Amino acid sequence: MKRIIEIERRAAPGDAPYIQSFIYETEDESATVATALSEINARVPLLDAGGEAAEPIRWESSCLQKKCGACAMVIDGRPALACDTRLSERGEVVRLSPLKKFPVVADLIVDRSKMMEALMTLRVWIEEDGRSHEKINEDVYEAARCIQCGCCLEVCPNFKSGGSFYGMAGMSPMARILSQTKGGALDERRKLYNKYIFEGCGKSLACRNICPAGLDIDRLLARSNAVSLWKRLMRR
Amino acid sequence: MKAMVNIIGAGLAGLSAAVTLAKAGIGCRLFSRQSSERAQSVMAEGGINAALDTMGEGDTTAEHFSDTMKGGVYLADPNAVRGLTEGAPDIVREFVRLGVPFQMKGETLVLRNFGGQKKKRTAYAKSSTGKMLMSALIDECRKYEARGLVMRFPHHDFLSLVTEGGAVTGCAIGDTFTGDRLVFSGPVILSAGGPAGLFSGHTTGTTQNTGDAAATAFFHGVRFANLEFIQYHPTTVGISGKRMLISEAARGEGGRLFIERNGRPWYFMEEKYPELKNLMPRDVVSREIYAVCRDPECGGQAYLDMTHLSDDTWRGKLSDLREECIHFLGIDPAAEHLPVEPGIHYFMGGIWVDERHRTNIKNLLAAGECACQYHGANRLGGNSLLGAVYGGKTAAETLSREILSAPGYMEGFEHAPAGEPTVLSGNERDPAFERRLTDILMEGLGIVRSEEGMRLCIERIEALLKEDGMSDRMKARASLGLAMAKSAIMRRESRGSHFRRDCPERDDENYKKTSTAECIDGRVITGYLDIPPLRETV
Ligand SMILES: Cc1cc2nc3c(=O)[nH]c(=O)nc-3n(C[C@H](O)[C@H](O)[C@H](O)COP(=O)(O)OP(=O)(O)OC[C@H]3O[C@@H](n4cnc5c(N)ncnc54)[C@H](O)[C@@H]3O)c2cc1C
Ligand code: SF4
Ligand code: SF4
Ligand code: FES
């Protein structure tokens, strides 16, 4: 199969982006966008589709098995994981660009630190003893599966990097803490949940089908909302 | 600059060290080239070992100790292994407290069978144990970050150690986002994972563990040990760009290995090893697969049969594994047999450390897969997550004891590290060179080795080292590879994962020893150290 990999590139954060294409041919039907990027980068010399010398493409990867979130990028207009996107399921031209909701570092690398700082504001940790029980573990497991890739934030109409709404990437890890926390620590986290997640979420669920980890967003939202809503009703 | 402990690598070992230091009120910087969510530790599937004996089998830490020693064919430091196995139950209980959703019945942990161990001893969370442990420890670390005790540097490469008079005084770090080079003072804990990148494309691990941290440390005189011991996991499948692990849990839950012989399935492991069957230690299973696949009476391809597992097992315990097979291989293991082959999975060797995780260089400690500890000649499944957490904790405790008992210890680092750090030239990746080195190593250091094969491997690396245009970075990688091959060729016996066609027997008299390798003035020097005897307990 032959694909043209068209990449939105920039060498440094402030630079104006430009488009550069590479031709990638393979017999491997299971080749992914990640395979293409690493094989293109291994070429000596590295030439673009027009035969011009090119700099290595900067992108991040780690597990190559959709378990770590490193390789999230925009592929043909939708956020996805490069290691989870088969070229055989794509058209002749595959368009890659960095996630738009985060500052670009270079080429396909973005700085996702705001997403992780949100977890600090939300106080995503167990204060004393985490509850663990067969009955709640399914929910806890689901919540703790979030790979912090940021794909959900890309499609969310309400999320802005540095804003005060944290989206599903904040909600999922928080859902674990809400299920496993009691007492004063829980009260505090309910308030944070309401402020940074519940109130800003338009419930459009645009994020639902995009999550590469396949998190059961409906279930996590329903549970977390129930935990925090219950508190608001009690206050009245 | 304020002196703090510098931890390099933020996987399980690094996080465990950070949390332990923070609990003792000692601050640390946690460097990693990508954030913890992306560390190889999140990929671990099958579980973590501890003799908690919740399954009514009368399991004990003494048995966990003897299984680990036996699995490692008696090359591990027995005092360290005793600490590990006795510390294991508390480590798993601590993870329960941190909210890890282990498989449970009510409030009791369910344990599963894992290779090389007769009793159920492995705690797990479906087939995503590593991810669940990491989520919990990342959250715990955040708690201390909020208190200012941990500073994260999550896009930062280790460039070099800074030393003065033979002792580490700090480290040089590169910010991969800005390109800035930073120097920090303080003792250093290396926890940068195994050198999977030396075997790029052939391992089950991650692309970010390039092996550069290990190669740099080696080049700077850090002693390494047992480098010849590379674990080939028996059940892996090639996917684009790497090997995908089929967790040992598949066999722990009843999966059976077979190959076709004279037109009929032959369950070779069950026939040859009636006691542990498919759950023999990994080195044994890998060699058996290697052998039957080359047996002219057999079909050439081994398979894992899981089609008889119950719906409950698939749903409750192996749902992720099944999803992964369908997704990446287009095979539903509940309905079809899975073709499997051995693939590189773990490095038992690494930076030499003593029982307290100190290296041969003052103020430098190492833990996790980058260190050589606990696993001897072969690691048991479920023992490396444990070893990473326990090792990180032990390294941190060693340091905190020193720091707290010697007033002024940290202040001693506060003057800026003397001199420029010797950062290796050529820090850019060079995929073409890396590929050549990998090909050479793969040929010499396979599952079944031979004198000629290893000799050739050494000659080719030595030739590579003499080529023009080799940057220091390339030389460091090639030297570490050379140390692996030299450690392998000098061990003229077969033990654990090191199997030689020309010396198939174990030779305790000459080789029940730890092999060592050091790089001195650019030359790789190998040798042996005695294994410490087991101390009497008081
Ligand atoms: C697929 C798979 C399944 C596994 N399953 C199990 C299991 O079920 N049970 C078990 O016990 N073990 C299992 N293991 C092994 C176990 O996961 C690892 O041995 C363990 O997680 C290693 O932890 P670590 O902290 O040492 O390293 P890692 O988790 O690899 O972390 C290394 C850290 O170092 C950083 N780093 C690397 N190089 C540099 C550099 N140059 N500069 C700065 N930072 C750097 C990385 O960013 C990362 O943060 C499995 C391994 C794999 C690959
Ligand atoms: S439901 Fe809509 S607003 Fe809420 S997080 Fe998802 S995409 Fe954003
Ligand atoms: S919720 Fe899903 S899409 Fe969003 S960060 Fe987590 S894993 Fe990624
Ligand atoms: S490399 Fe880990 S999700 Fe793609």
Side-chain angles (χ1 to χ4, degrees):
Chain A
M1 106 184 104
K2 181 173 167 183
R3 293 287 179 271
I4 296 167
I5 313 286
E6 196 184 280
I7 306 174
E8 179 189 310
R9 303 194 62 174
R10 38 171 102 46
D15 293 4
Y18 64 99
I19 302 289
Q20 191 168 34
S21 301
F22 296 86
I23 293 173
Y24 180 70
E25 277 191 87
T26 179
E27 305 276 287
D28 177 5
E29 278 302 302
S30 68
T32 62
V33 169
T35 325
L37 288 172
S38 26
E39 290 185 6
I40 290 170
N41 273 345
R43 288 179 187 163
V44 193
L46 175 52
L47 304 176
D48 70 6
E52 299 287 325
E55 285 296 311
I57 304 151
R58 291 195 58 193
W59 66 295
E60 286 182 319
S61 74
S62 176
C63 69
L64 298 181
Q65 281 179 241
K66 67 177 179 112
K67 288 187 175 201
C68 80
C71 63
M73 56 184 69
V74 177
I75 302 175
D76 292 333
R78 276 168 70 86
L81 300 175
C83 68
D84 187 33
T85 305
R86 290 221 179 136
L87 293 172
S88 59
E89 289 158 12
R90 297 276 134 181
E92 201 187 327
V93 182
V94 183
R95 294 187 176 83
L96 311 181
S97 57
L99 293 173
K100 294 280 172 304
K101 294 272 174 104
F102 302 100
V104 180
V105 173
D107 293 343
L108 300 168
I109 302 181
V110 294
D111 181 355
R112 285 175 276 191
S113 45
K114 282 279 179 287
M115 173 171 66
M116 308 211 175
E117 282 162 24
L119 303 181
M120 182 70 77
T121 312
L122 287 169
R123 302 176 75 77
V124 173
W125 60 78
I126 302 278
E127 213 66 68
E128 298 272 322
D129 263 8
R131 295 192 299 147
S132 207
H133 190 281
E134 192 184 358
K135 290 212 180 81
I136 60 164
N137 277 0
E138 282 286 329
D139 285 323
V140 171
Y141 181 86
E142 195 61 16
R145 279 179 52 227
C146 170
I147 56 178
Q148 292 288 293
C149 60
C151 289
C152 52
L153 304 179
E154 191 72 8
V155 295
C156 172
N158 296 6
F159 174 82
K160 267 205 325 276
S161 179
S164 62
F165 168 62
Y166 296 161
M168 282 306 141
M171 188 282 286
S172 308
M174 188 62 165
R176 166 174 112 84
I177 306 300
L178 289 177
S179 326
Q180 295 194 301
T181 302
K182 309 174 279 240
L186 177 58
D187 288 343
E188 182 190 42
R189 280 162 183 78
R190 278 179 179 135
K191 280 189 206 136
L192 293 167
Y193 179 83
N194 282 328
K195 179 163 171 208
Y196 293 108
I197 293 169
F198 187 82
E199 283 167 14
C201 176
K203 325 281 181 302
S204 61
L205 288 183
C207 56
R208 184 203 273 154
N209 295 321
I210 211 85
C211 176
L215 292 195
D216 191 340
I217 304 265
D218 294 316
R219 172 165 139 202
L220 292 177
L221 255 186
R223 233 202 102 85
S224 303
N225 288 348
V227 172
S228 63
L229 196 66
W230 172 80
K231 185 68 190 174
R232 264 177 286 137
L233 292 176
M234 293 291 288
R235 273 224 199 88
R236 281 203 193 134
Chain B
M1 176 160 313
K2 190 166 164 43
M4 290 172 108
V5 175
N6 300 298
I7 302 173
I8 294 164
L12 265 186
L15 287 168
S16 167
V19 167
T20 308
L21 286 168
K23 280 186 183 160
I26 297 167
C28 68
R29 303 184 191 89
L30 188 52
F31 303 101
S32 53
R33 31 167 73 130
Q34 292 183 33
S35 63
S36 292
E37 285 80 0
R38 331 264 183 245
Q40 177 168 298
S41 292
V42 304
M43 301 173 68
E45 302 178 350
I48 177 166
N49 294 341
L52 287 153
D53 191 36
T54 58
M55 309 298 282
E57 295 178 321
D59 194 18
T60 59
T61 57
E63 274 173 90
H64 187 188
F65 169 83
S66 60
D67 286 348
T68 302
M69 290 304 295
K70 183 171 173 217
V73 207
Y74 307 101
L75 280 203
D77 174 343
N79 300 305
V81 173
R82 185 163 58 198
L84 174 86
T85 49
E86 288 182 354
D90 276 347
I91 282 179
V92 173
R93 280 185 213 112
E94 176 65 9
F95 275 118
V96 172
R97 203 188 63 77
L98 295 181
V100 171
F102 287 117
Q103 189 81 14
M104 289 194 166
K105 226 180 169 68
E107 288 185 340
T108 308
L109 282 172
V110 175
L111 304 176
R112 73 167 34 137
N113 277 117
F114 241 39
Q117 309 178 79
K118 272 175 243 147
K119 296 199 168 144
K120 292 192 174 67
R121 188 180 289 149
T122 307
Y124 63 101
K126 300 198 191 187
S127 358
S128 303
T129 312
K131 175 66 185 162
M132 294 299 128
L133 299 184
M134 284 294 282
S135 293
L137 213 49
I138 289 170
D139 289 354
E140 181 70 356
C141 198
R142 188 176 294 115
K143 178 158 93 189
Y144 295 104
E145 203 185 337
R147 295 182 195 165
L149 282 160
V150 178
M151 286 171 77
R152 287 194 316 124
F153 293 78
H155 40 87
H156 293 75
D157 254 0
F158 169 66
L159 297 180
S160 86
L161 296 167
V162 180
T163 55
E164 198 183 340
V168 163
T169 54
C171 54
I173 298 290
D175 180 334
T176 63
F177 282 6
T178 62
D180 292 345
R181 209 172 258 194
L182 314 160
V183 176
F184 296 98
S185 55
V188 174
I189 300 178
L190 273 175
S191 48
L198 286 181
F199 299 87
S200 170
H202 299 279
T203 82
T204 56
T206 113
T207 55
Q208 62 167 310
N209 288 358
T210 53
D212 282 318
T216 306
F218 186 60
F219 215 55
H220 286 323
V222 176
R223 180 192 295 151
F224 277 62
N226 284 349
L227 282 173
E228 64 272 38
F229 296 106
I230 298 170
Q231 178 167 84
Y232 283 79
H233 194 288
T235 55
T236 73
V237 190
I239 60 171
S240 200
K242 73 173 300 184
R243 300 211 61 89
M244 181 172 107
L245 175 76
I246 306 298
S247 167
E248 198 161 286
R251 282 170 288 133
E253 298 298 342
R256 305 171 72 191
L257 284 164
F258 77 91
I259 193 163
E260 245 179 57
R261 186 173 62 175
N262 304 324
R264 298 185 40 200
W266 174 32
Y267 296 91
F268 51 95
M269 288 307 298
E270 297 169 27
E271 190 179 301
K272 293 185 181 183
Y273 304 93
E275 192 180 30
L276 283 174
K277 302 187 174 112
N278 294 286
L279 287 174
M280 284 296 285
R282 292 177 178 172
D283 56 322
V284 179
V285 185
S286 287
R287 269 194 305 279
E288 290 297 345
I289 294 179
Y290 179 93
V292 297
C293 289
R294 279 156 188 78
D295 180 341
E297 284 190 13
C298 296
Q301 172 70 59
Y303 291 90
L304 186 61
D305 178 3
M306 293 184 269
T307 55
H308 55 288
L309 302 191
S310 71
D311 282 353
D312 273 355
T313 302
W314 283 117
R315 215 177 310 111
K317 301 176 179 173
L318 299 172
S319 54
D320 316 355
L321 188 138
R322 182 177 182 186
E323 195 271 334
E324 227 169 63
C325 291
I326 295 174
H327 185 85
F328 283 103
L329 309 170
I331 298 176
D332 179 357
E336 297 161 80
H337 302 145
L338 211 57
V340 290
E341 275 167 68
I344 294 181
H345 183 55
Y346 188 84
F347 298 87
M348 274 71 73
I351 298 171
W352 176 90
V353 291
D354 69 6
E355 197 186 334
R356 305 295 318 159
H357 282 264
R358 292 174 287 224
T359 68
N360 65 322
I361 295 189
K362 192 166 153 47
N363 306 328
L364 177 69
L365 297 91
E369 196 172 331
C370 73
C372 172
Q373 191 59 287
Y374 309 118
H375 311 302
N378 173 49
R379 162 179 81 88
L380 295 184
N383 263 357
S384 69
L385 289 177
L386 174 64
V389 178
Y390 181 79
K393 178 167 174 272
T394 305
E397 283 170 355
T398 302
L399 263 182
S400 58
R401 233 178 266 169
E402 232 166 294
I403 293 168
L404 297 176
S405 68
Y409 180 89
M410 287 307 274
E411 288 71 21
F413 289 96
E414 272 179 19
H415 66 93
E420 272 289 291
T422 39
V423 176
L424 303 188
S425 66
N427 252 296
E428 295 299 311
R429 309 273 323 266
D430 184 335
F433 160 78
E434 286 167 26
R435 166 75 25 221
R436 283 173 66 203
L437 182 60
T438 296
D439 290 347
I440 298 173
L441 288 170
M442 282 306 291
E443 269 185 42
L445 299 175
I447 300 178
V448 174
R449 302 168 177 181
S450 70
E451 178 82 17
E452 319 84 79
M454 291 185 282
R455 172 78 47 221
L456 192 65
C457 173
I458 290 173
E459 284 167 11
R460 290 171 68 194
I461 301 176
E462 281 172 342
L464 200 63
L465 274 163
K466 288 193 191 113
E467 279 182 18
D468 290 338
M470 290 278 286
S471 67
D472 281 351
R473 175 181 180 273
M474 292 170 164
K475 281 188 198 154
R477 292 178 73 80
S479 301
L480 186 60
L482 184 61
M484 288 179 169
K486 282 192 156 181
S487 304
I489 202 166
M490 79 174 177
R491 187 177 282 283
R492 298 188 55 78
E493 64 156 357
S494 289
R495 182 186 295 268
S497 69
H498 175 68
F499 185 86
R500 293 174 67 131
R501 197 178 288 133
D502 51 339
C503 313
E505 300 299 324
R506 180 172 129 192
D507 175 358
D508 274 354
E509 199 173 318
N510 292 303
Y511 295 109
K512 197 174 158 193
K513 289 186 176 140
T514 304
S515 72
T516 60
E518 278 177 62
C519 187
I520 299 170
D521 299 328
R523 288 184 50 232
V524 174
I525 313 287
T526 49
Y528 283 108
L529 284 178
D530 284 336
I531 294 162
L534 183 63
R535 273 190 310 273
E536 298 277 324
T537 42
V538 269

